[in-house]
């Protein structure tokens, strides 16, 4: 059948002749398309009946018109996407050319210096000033006068400090004042967050980033200056004074406080000068540095409980980009006074990778998230009717509340009760209104039943267990550590009103993605705990409990990422101003002296793959044979709303509860530790299943028997090689049981990535749960054939990961896996060319 169309005006008929729609018909069809882009056969017939102008058009022609219209829409979207990618690549190419030009200048300078030293005595005088720091941005701009400028608290003195700060910042942002190396694990490209580099061998720690964002420079400057909105560690930034400059810039004096990430270290504060100005080429600059007594500038006295840290010249260079948007250069350079914390924690304050992850890249993520939100239509809301910005605000409230609980500032009303040297610290706050920044009374008029907030918190050191894997286990297996009675008590901290019908929409568990990038993933979800609590009116009738939960740092491949699981009971109405008492876990990786050889270890199977001949995992030994282990620090904090006369009783209960959680976490961490797993023989599989190597051999032999070709392209000899090749196979391989309700029993690395799960949690997922409705129909129709002839093929479609994300696949192949006796052991699926939608 021949087809053609142009602007929706061409149709087709079965006899091969074209028919042209009238403008009125096209207008009517366009209106119908916007209401329903993919109408069913019944709906198309209904459209013809309801719209007389279409009465002379056959239903088949209407079907073809809608197909063509959807095709054009898809082409337009793809063209728009490609144009955006092209703009991004053009901007990145410009950045790389500038970087290449800078490096060429640096090479020339180094060659000149090398020649100089070769021709002179062993003790030569210092060479000329390194002009390689003079970038294309700094050349000829903001040059300091040759005479000594004033250095005091006067406007002229502050401007002198500001101009010096600007010059030093630009030499770091686009020059060679700091030796930069690429951030480990970060590869620049069109889909990356940006070009990330970290310092090597400089004073303090420094990180640099460069990226393209779809916001105008003034908007970018506004966002990055509002540090508490995107830096979770930032408690407050107070502007103490503002001074306009003659060149149109602004000098601000700031006092900034940062939360301590754990109970084992004090928080930091900064006394800063911030300078905002516009360069001659139109670039906008926001640069900052600490003010010290040696500069004779204004001073800020030390604040009790805070350690005064230093910010070396840092900031943001924001350049307008052709076609809209901005190119931003970010430099963060700090001296965090690592000597003030225990030695085990000093890597957190001495690692440029940690600074890059938690500060530099956080600014880029915020800018890209806001860009994405601003590009979305007004209809971009989730199942709860909330927009991404509202969910982002909720996540900030959860994170801020948890930080307040961990730090327990006295100026917020917190005080320690009992022995402060105990393994579990108990703090109380009798002014929860100030603590949470809201009124504890719900919008439905119900009053709170507690007038004191109590927090039980502790920190512990973990050895050789990846934070992402441990946190994922705590999230997916809550019953392993949580006490249902405590969950019910937490939910009863504030009196809730009657449940509304809206609660039914939560289902069992709803996941709301907040941000999806290659390097970082964060999402919120509501956890439904059925029948654990009691209604306020009846102490006998059970009711459901809902927890709002924030999860971040689940990516095992991210470098230096902090993993968090923070949750708080919520009212059934889930109002925006609902009070939150956050509790949860924070796991921060500590840099070890030697890097772990397999940072993306995935529980039992990965451990089996890494076992050496002596039964010791490669992660536990480096190439020199020296033992090394990955360490991390976990901070636990649980908040309880209590009545004042129950304070001592609840404090005792909370202390024992947190101690119990610590014991559970230690037990789980030991089970997940590669050193513990390596003491076992091979792969720890469920009772009655074969060893992993035998299963891998069965999978490949059965595939060859049914398909007549090899599954693995390489000619591997030995069970161990077969297992390794199967584990690293590019397509997702997943095995399920032969039961009435099939559940997954094995998956390779690609399969675990597709399902976003681990081998431990794989058996909690059933086969039918990963398919959408259409996929289940196809599976039901093809399954009898698979069972009868031993193999089959499923057409491409959509499946759902354990995190609720849709995954597309080109096609899937299924076959029976036969054991040595030729009996069916399980069914194996290969999902070909899968990707997240």
């Amino acid at each position: 059948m021949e087809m053609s169309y142009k602007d929706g005006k061409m149709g087709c008929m079965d006899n091969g002749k074209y028919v042209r729609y009238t403008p009125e018909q096209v207008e009517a069809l366009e209106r119908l398309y916007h209401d329903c882009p993919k109408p069913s056969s019944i709906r198309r017939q209904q459209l013809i009946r309801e719209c007389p102008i279409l009465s002379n058009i056959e239903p088949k022609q209407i079907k073809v018109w809608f197909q063509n219209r959807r095709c054009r829409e898809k082409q337009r979207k793809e063209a728009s996407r490609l144009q955006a990618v092209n703009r991004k690549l053009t901007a990145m190419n410009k950045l790389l050319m500038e970087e290449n030009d800078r490096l060429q200048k640096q090479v020339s300078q180094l060659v000149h210096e090398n020649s100089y030293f070769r021709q002179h005595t062993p003790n030569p005088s210092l060479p000329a000033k390194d002009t390689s720091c003079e970038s294309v941005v700094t050349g000829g701009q903001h040059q300091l006068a040759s005479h000594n400028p004033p250095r005091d608290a006067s406007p002229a003195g502050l401007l002198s400090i500001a101009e010096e700060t600007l010059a030093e910042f630009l030499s770091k942002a686009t020059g060679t004042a700091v030796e930069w190396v690429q951030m480990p694990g970060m590869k620049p490209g069109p889909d990356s967050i940006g070009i990330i580099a970290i310092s090597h061998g400089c004073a303090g720690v420094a990180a640099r980033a460069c990226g393209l964002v779809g916001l105008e420079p003034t908007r970018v400057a506004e966002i990055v200056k509002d540090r508490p909105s995107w830096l979770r560690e930032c408690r407050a930034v107070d502007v103490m004074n503002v001074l306009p400059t003659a060149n149109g810039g602004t000098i601000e004096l700031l006092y900034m406080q940062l939360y301590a990430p754990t109970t084992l270290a004090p928080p930091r504060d900064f006394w800063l000068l911030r300078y905002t100005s516009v360069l001659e080429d139109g670039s906008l600059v926001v640069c900052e540095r600490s003010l010290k007594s040696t500069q004779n500038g204004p001073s800020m006295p030390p604040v009790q409980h805070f350690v005064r840290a230093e910010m070396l010249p840092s900031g943001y260079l924001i350049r307008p980009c052709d076609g809209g948007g901005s190119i931003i250069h970010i430099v963060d350079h700090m001296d965090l006074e690592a000597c003030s914390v225990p030695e085990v924690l000093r890597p957190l304050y001495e690692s440029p990778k940690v600074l890059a992850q938690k500060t530099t890249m956080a600014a880029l993520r915020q800018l890209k998230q806001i860009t994405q939100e601003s590009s979305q239509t007004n209809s971009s809301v989730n199942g709860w009717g909330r927009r991404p910005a509202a969910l982002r605000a909720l996540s900030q409230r959860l994170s801020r509340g948890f930080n307040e609980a961990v730090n327990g500032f006295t100026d917020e009303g917190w005080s320690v009760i009992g022995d402060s040297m105990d393994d579990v610290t108990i703090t109380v706050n009798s002014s929860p209104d100030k603590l949470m920044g809201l009124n504890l009374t719900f919008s439905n008029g119900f009053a709170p039943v507690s007038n004191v907030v109590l927090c039980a918190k502790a920190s512990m050191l973990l050895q050789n267990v990846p934070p992402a894997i441990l946190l994922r286990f705590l999230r997916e297996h809550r019953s392993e550590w949580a006490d249902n009675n405590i969950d019910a008590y937490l939910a009863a901290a504030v009196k809730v009103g009657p449940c509304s019908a809206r609660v039914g929409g939560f289902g069992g568990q709803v996941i709301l993605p907040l941000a999806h990038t290659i390097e970082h993933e964060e999402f919120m979800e509501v956890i439904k705990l059925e029948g654990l609590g009691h209604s306020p009116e009846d102490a006998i009738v059970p009711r459901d409990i809902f927890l709002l939960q924030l999860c971040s740092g689940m990516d095992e491949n991210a470098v230096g990422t902090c993993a968090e699981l923070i949750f708080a009971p919520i009212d059934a109405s889930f109002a925006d101003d609902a009070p939150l008492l956050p509790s949860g876990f924070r796991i921060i990786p500590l840099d070890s002296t030697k890097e772990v050889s397999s940072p993306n270890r995935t529980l039992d199977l990965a451990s089996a793959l890494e076992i050496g001949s002596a039964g010791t995992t490669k992660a536990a030994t480096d190439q020199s044979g020296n033992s090394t282990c990955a360490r991390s620090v976990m901070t636990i904090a649980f908040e309880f709303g209590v009545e004042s006369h129950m304070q001592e009783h609840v404090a005792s209960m909370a202390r024992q509860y947190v101690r119990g959680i610590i014991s559970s976490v230690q037990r789980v961490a030991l089970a997940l530790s590669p050193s513990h797993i390596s003491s076992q023989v091979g792969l720890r599989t469920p009772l009655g299943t074969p060893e992993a190597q035998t299963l891998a051999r069965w999978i490949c032999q059965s595939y060859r028997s049914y398909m007549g070709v090899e599954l693995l392209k390489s000619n591997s000899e030995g069970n161990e090689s077969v297992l390794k090749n199967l584990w690293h196979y590019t397509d997702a391989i997943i095995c399920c049981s032969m039961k009435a309700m099939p559940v997954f029993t094995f998956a390779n690395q690609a399969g675990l990535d597709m399902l976003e799960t681990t081998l431990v949690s794989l058996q909690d997922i059933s086969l039918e749960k990963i398919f959408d409705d259409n996929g289940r129909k196809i599976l039901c129709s093809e399954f009898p054939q698979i069972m009868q002839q031993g193999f089959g093929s499923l057409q491409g479609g959509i499946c759902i990961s354990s995190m609720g994300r849709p995954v597309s696949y080109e096609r899937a192949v299924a076959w029976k896996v036969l054991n040595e006796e030729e009996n069916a052991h399980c069914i194996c699926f290969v999902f070909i060319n899968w990707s997240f939608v």
Side-chain angles (χ1 to χ4, degrees):
M1 181 175 64
E2 298 182 30
M3 289 173 43
S4 178
Y5 57 85
K6 182 179 180 181
D7 296 331
K9 296 181 180 180
M10 297 302 293
C12 68
M13 299 183 66
D14 292 339
N15 59 8
K17 296 182 179 179
Y18 299 115
V19 60
R20 181 179 295 275
Y21 295 102
T22 65
E24 292 78 10
Q25 289 174 331
V26 172
E27 184 179 353
L29 288 171
E30 287 288 347
R31 287 197 305 268
L32 298 174
Y33 176 82
H34 288 296
D35 293 337
C36 182
K38 195 173 183 179
S40 62
S41 176
I42 297 176
R43 177 60 177 152
R44 289 194 299 270
Q45 295 176 359
Q46 182 183 358
L47 293 177
I48 294 176
R49 291 193 301 268
E50 294 176 352
C51 193
I53 199 172
L54 303 176
S55 59
N56 64 333
I57 303 178
E58 295 292 330
K60 192 171 184 179
Q61 296 177 13
I62 299 292
K63 177 181 180 181
V64 171
W65 187 93
F66 274 93
Q67 289 175 343
N68 294 341
R69 181 65 176 81
R70 290 194 299 271
C71 181
R72 293 197 304 277
E73 184 72 20
K74 184 177 180 181
Q75 289 174 343
R76 274 197 291 266
K77 290 181 179 179
E78 180 66 11
S80 177
R81 186 188 70 82
L82 290 176
Q83 288 174 358
V85 171
N86 183 63
R87 288 194 299 269
K88 190 170 185 179
L89 289 174
T90 301
M92 292 188 66
N93 182 62
K94 181 180 179 182
L95 293 175
L96 292 174
M97 291 177 65
E98 291 179 358
E99 181 72 4
N100 183 61
D101 183 60
R102 182 188 65 80
L103 292 174
Q104 287 180 350
K105 291 181 180 179
Q106 184 179 3
V107 169
S108 299
Q109 180 69 19
L110 291 174
V111 170
H112 174 75
E113 291 179 359
N114 184 54
S115 175
Y116 177 88
F117 282 108
R118 283 177 180 271
Q119 297 174 8
H120 292 76
T121 61
N123 295 314
S125 59
L126 289 177
K129 179 183 176 181
D130 182 6
T131 57
S132 64
C133 294
E134 298 292 342
S135 67
V136 293
V137 177
T138 61
Q141 299 180 35
H142 291 273
Q143 299 298 317
L144 296 179
S146 58
H147 63 277
N148 293 326
R151 300 292 295 269
D152 51 35
S154 66
L158 292 176
L159 181 59
S160 172
I161 298 174
E163 291 287 345
E164 181 182 286
T165 303
L166 174 60
E168 291 188 40
F169 158 66
L170 291 175
S171 69
K172 298 174 185 178
T174 60
T176 58
V178 171
E179 182 181 353
W180 301 107
V181 295
Q182 183 175 315
M183 174 84 164
M186 298 294 298
K187 296 181 180 180
D191 296 324
S192 68
I193 192 173
I195 303 173
I196 314 297
I198 56 177
S199 61
H200 177 70
C202 72
V205 291
R208 183 175 72 172
C210 181
L212 175 68
V213 294
L215 299 171
E216 295 304 313
T218 53
R219 176 62 175 146
V220 174
E222 177 185 340
I223 293 171
V224 297
K225 290 169 78 170
D226 185 16
R227 194 177 264 110
S229 68
W230 55 266
L231 181 58
R232 298 289 173 86
E233 281 194 339
C234 184
R235 184 192 184 202
V237 176
D238 295 328
V239 180
M240 311 302 292
N241 195 8
V242 179
L243 176 68
T245 62
N247 60 4
T250 304
I251 295 175
E252 300 168 279
L253 300 183
L254 311 175
Y255 175 65
M256 180 174 69
Q257 292 181 344
L258 299 183
Y259 292 111
T262 173
T263 61
L264 302 176
R268 264 57 182 162
D269 66 351
F270 297 82
W271 174 234
L272 303 172
L273 178 145
R274 181 164 68 193
Y275 182 36
T276 305
S277 64
V278 179
L279 302 183
E280 293 179 2
D281 64 353
S283 299
L284 185 59
V285 178
V286 180
C287 56
E288 301 170 319
R289 81 175 308 157
S290 288
L291 290 173
K292 301 185 295 183
S293 57
T294 56
Q295 296 167 325
N296 297 322
S299 61
M300 167 69 71
V303 178
Q304 188 178 13
H305 307 304
F306 282 85
V307 172
R308 182 63 50 84
E310 180 184 1
M311 179 181 292
L312 287 80
S314 307
Y316 313 89
L317 170 62
I318 311 163
R319 304 160 70 178
C321 188
D322 296 339
S326 306
I327 298 174
I328 182 171
H329 300 255
I330 304 175
V331 172
D332 290 302
H333 193 177
M334 300 181 183
D335 182 351
L336 296 172
E337 296 293 334
C339 60
S340 65
V341 301
E343 185 175 356
V344 69
L345 295 181
R346 290 181 185 176
L348 295 180
Y349 299 85
E350 296 175 338
S351 169
K353 292 186 294 185
V354 174
L355 178 67
Q357 277 283 356
K358 71 179 182 180
T359 304
T360 313
M361 294 171 62
L364 272 181
R365 292 190 192 103
Q366 177 79 351
L367 292 169
K368 291 181 179 292
Q369 180 70 20
I370 293 178
T371 300
Q372 180 181 353
E373 292 171 6
S374 61
S375 65
Q376 293 173 341
T377 62
N378 293 333
S379 59
S380 300
V381 296
N382 60 70
W384 296 338
R386 281 174 169 78
R387 305 191 187 283
L391 292 176
R392 185 156 42 85
L394 275 174
S395 71
Q396 290 169 348
R397 286 183 57 200
L398 278 173
S399 182
R400 184 178 183 84
F402 184 76
N403 279 325
E404 291 285 358
V406 169
N407 284 261
F409 294 114
T410 55
D411 60 357
E412 292 285 354
W414 288 100
S415 60
V416 178
I417 63 173
D419 186 0
S420 60
M421 300 302 293
D422 201 340
D423 58 337
V424 178
T425 302
I426 303 294
T427 58
V428 294
N429 192 315
S430 58
S431 56
D433 284 6
K434 181 178 180 182
L435 168 70
M436 292 179 284
L438 46 84
N439 193 328
L440 272 176
T441 302
F442 280 103
S443 56
N444 57 18
F446 283 82
V449 297
S450 57
N451 51 19
V452 173
V453 174
L454 182 145
C455 177
K457 54 189 177 182
S459 294
M460 58 186 293
L461 186 67
L462 300 174
Q463 295 277 95
N464 207 21
V465 56
I469 292 179
L470 177 56
L471 196 78
R472 190 181 303 151
F473 184 91
L474 295 176
R475 171 183 172 265
E476 296 174 358
H477 300 272
R478 188 180 181 87
S479 60
E480 293 291 330
W481 57 267
D483 187 318
N484 291 342
N485 294 325
I486 300 297
D487 283 330
Y489 184 87
L490 288 170
V494 288
K495 188 175 183 180
V496 298
C499 293
S500 64
R502 186 176 186 174
V503 174
F506 289 147
Q509 178 172 314
V510 181
I511 298 177
L512 300 176
L514 291 181
H516 289 291
T517 63
I518 296 175
E519 298 84 4
H520 178 78
E521 181 142 350
E522 180 180 84
F523 59 88
M524 278 205 318
E525 60 189 357
V526 167
I527 304 298
K528 180 180 180 181
L529 307 177
E530 298 182 349
L532 296 184
H534 299 285
S535 62
E537 296 81 7
D538 191 340
I540 299 177
V541 180
R543 64 178 179 85
D544 296 333
I545 292 174
F546 297 95
L547 301 177
L548 178 64
Q549 185 162 274
L550 174 68
C551 310
S552 63
M554 293 276 193
D555 185 2
E556 299 171 37
N557 297 316
V559 180
T561 302
C562 169
E564 290 183 329
L565 183 69
I566 304 173
F567 49 86
I570 57 173
D571 180 49
S573 62
F574 192 23
D576 289 335
D577 60 347
L580 297 177
L581 283 180
S583 303
F585 307 88
R586 172 180 291 150
I587 311 175
I588 309 174
L590 301 171
D591 283 348
S592 56
T593 55
K594 294 184 180 291
E595 293 292 337
V596 177
S597 63
S598 182
N600 58 342
R601 179 177 304 279
T602 307
L603 295 179
D604 301 352
L605 181 59
S607 299
L609 294 175
E610 297 293 333
I611 291 177
S613 59
T616 304
T617 61
K618 294 180 182 179
T621 57
D622 59 22
Q623 295 178 351
S624 304
N626 299 325
S627 176
T628 180
C629 67
R631 298 177 301 172
S632 56
V633 59
M634 170 183 273
T635 296
I636 305 171
F638 276 73
E639 290 190 278
F640 304 82
V642 301
E643 297 180 64
S644 55
H645 68 278
M646 295 287 290
Q647 179 174 305
E648 291 186 8
H649 172 73
V650 175
S652 176
M653 178 268 294
R655 182 178 285 109
Q656 293 302 319
Y657 181 53
V658 171
R659 285 173 178 166
I661 291 177
I662 291 175
S663 298
S664 299
V665 169
Q666 289 173 334
R667 184 177 67 252
V668 171
L670 179 63
L672 298 181
S673 170
S675 60
H676 174 76
I677 296 171
S678 65
S679 64
Q680 310 298 322
V681 179
L683 172 69
R684 293 188 304 159
T685 53
L687 184 64
T689 62
E691 298 294 333
Q693 295 177 357
T694 304
L695 177 60
R697 179 166 50 84
W698 289 353
I699 290 173
C700 295
Q701 288 177 350
S702 301
Y703 185 88
R704 181 174 61 250
S705 174
Y706 285 118
M707 307 298 177
V709 295
E710 295 289 345
L711 175 63
L712 304 177
K713 301 302 181 182
S714 60
N715 296 323
S716 304
E717 296 183 1
N719 292 340
E720 185 177 354
S721 297
V722 172
L723 176 59
K724 287 185 177 181
N725 289 333
L726 189 73
W727 175 253
H728 295 294
Y729 193 69
T730 54
D731 292 320
I733 298 178
I734 308 174
C735 295
C736 68
S737 62
M738 301 278 291
K739 300 178 181 178
M741 184 67 70
V743 297
F744 294 123
T745 57
F746 170 82
N748 67 346
Q749 179 66 70
L752 296 177
D753 292 341
M754 185 185 80
L755 296 178
E756 295 189 293
T757 187
T758 64
L759 283 172
V760 170
S761 304
L762 185 65
Q763 298 176 34
D764 297 333
I765 305 174
S766 63
L767 179 62
E768 66 170 10
K769 283 184 178 180
I770 73 165
F771 289 101
D772 60 5
D773 293 338
N774 185 55
R776 280 192 287 268
K777 291 178 183 179
I778 296 175
L779 180 64
C780 291
S781 63
E782 297 293 336
F783 201 77
Q785 179 183 355
I786 296 172
M787 297 301 296
Q788 182 178 3
Q789 69 180 19
F791 66 95
S793 179
L794 306 179
Q795 67 184 37
I798 299 293
C799 62
I800 309 299
S801 76
S802 64
M803 310 291 278
R805 287 209 283 171
V807 182
S808 66
Y809 57 93
E810 187 176 293
R811 65 188 180 95
V813 177
W815 69 96
K816 287 184 183 178
V817 177
L818 306 179
N819 59 17
E820 305 290 356
E821 289 76 27
E822 297 294 321
N823 295 324
H825 172 73
C826 62
I827 296 178
C828 190
F829 290 84
V830 173
F831 293 87
I832 300 172
N833 293 337
W834 65 271
S835 62
F836 289 108
V837 178

